Amino acid sequence: MMADFSGLRTKMVDGQVRTTDVTSLPLLDALLSVPREEFVPAARKSLAYIDEDLEIAPGRYLMEPSPFARIVQLADIQPGDFVLDVGAGTGYSAAVLSKLAGSVVALEQDPTLAAKAQSVLSALGYDTVAVVEGPLSAGYPAQAPYDVILLEGAVESIPPALFDQLKDGGRLLAVEGHGNSADVRVYVKQGSSVSARRAFNAAVKPLPGFNSLPTFEF
């Protein structure tokens, strides 16, 4: 029996997203229109709308809907904005962002995930998203600067290279820290300086490649 994904999508928005003070109508409309089930492995489609991080590859996750929506709302994305989506995975986040922004660069370092993102986004007609491959912590300077940069997972620290890729007045949003002690932070670039504010607690799965100190193995 086929799951009623449209109904599950509505339940996700009403039960997980609206209840956490997400009120942006363009964002709610985007979440209602993007078929999240198309961006998860076939065997996990029935779990696409659960309220937890969903594994899409070993060690890689689709962020839980509520914190994802709250972070996107904080980014205050405008219709003309140019957005860098860091750790785009299979492309779900980029699809949602493309409904709000002018265009999106979806950066992914795992070639298999990048290929899946390219395939699904193309098939569904998200033609304002460009999928690119490269190390997540380096950002994507070839297309910089960006109005908004979002990190799709928790990190220990943010490399200066990412702040360098923001436009004047640009925003970077990231979950910093581990587990339940992690915070969502909003960074705003003004001239050559960057200011930060803490927004809320969010326990989400980590993104690879953002360790604050290199580790050596013998």
Side-chain angles (χ1 to χ4, degrees):
M1 186 174 123
M2 281 294 291
D4 170 20
F5 288 118
S6 174
L8 290 170
R9 204 171 302 130
T10 302
K11 281 184 178 172
M12 174 190 80
V13 170
D14 288 347
Q16 300 177 44
V17 176
R18 289 183 196 270
T19 53
T20 51
D21 297 326
V22 176
T23 55
S24 160
L25 291 177
L27 173 54
L28 293 169
D29 286 346
L31 293 167
L32 284 168
S33 72
V34 176
R36 191 172 165 97
E37 71 277 5
E38 296 297 329
F39 296 89
V40 302
R44 317 203 80 188
K45 277 191 193 298
S46 63
L47 302 173
Y49 294 94
I50 61 172
D51 56 349
E52 54 188 71
D53 301 300
L54 188 62
E55 192 168 43
I56 51 173
R60 293 298 301 278
Y61 295 82
L62 196 56
M63 197 187 295
E64 184 184 335
S66 167
F68 170 69
R70 292 179 73 189
I71 290 167
V72 174
Q73 179 169 264
L74 276 172
D76 190 28
I77 295 168
Q78 301 301 308
D81 281 352
F82 186 33
V83 178
L84 176 63
D85 191 31
V86 177
T90 51
Y92 172 77
S93 51
V96 172
L97 295 171
S98 76
K99 295 275 189 180
L100 307 172
S103 57
V104 179
V105 172
L107 174 64
E108 181 46 57
Q109 67 184 22
D110 179 319
T112 307
L113 289 176
K116 168 81 171 173
Q118 183 67 66
S119 163
V120 178
L121 290 164
S122 297
L124 296 175
Y126 292 104
D127 52 10
T128 58
V129 180
V131 179
V132 297
E133 273 185 59
L136 303 183
S137 59
Y140 199 70
Q143 295 286 326
Y146 304 96
D147 295 290
V148 177
I149 298 177
L150 283 103
L151 277 62
E152 299 295 339
V155 299
E156 286 185 23
S157 62
I158 297 165
L162 291 181
F163 294 122
D164 292 344
Q165 292 169 40
L166 277 178
K167 287 183 184 173
D168 191 12
R171 289 90 66 204
L172 182 150
L173 289 94
V175 181
E176 286 186 75
H178 296 285
N180 294 325
S181 64
D183 290 322
V184 174
R185 292 185 185 271
V186 182
Y187 292 89
V188 179
K189 187 172 187 177
Q190 300 290 353
S192 59
S193 67
V194 176
S195 61
R197 68 180 174 89
R198 180 192 168 279
F200 61 93
N201 276 101
V204 303
K205 299 293 186 185
L207 269 185
F210 287 88
N211 295 337
S212 43
L213 292 169
T215 54
F216 296 97
E217 290 183 352
F218 294 99

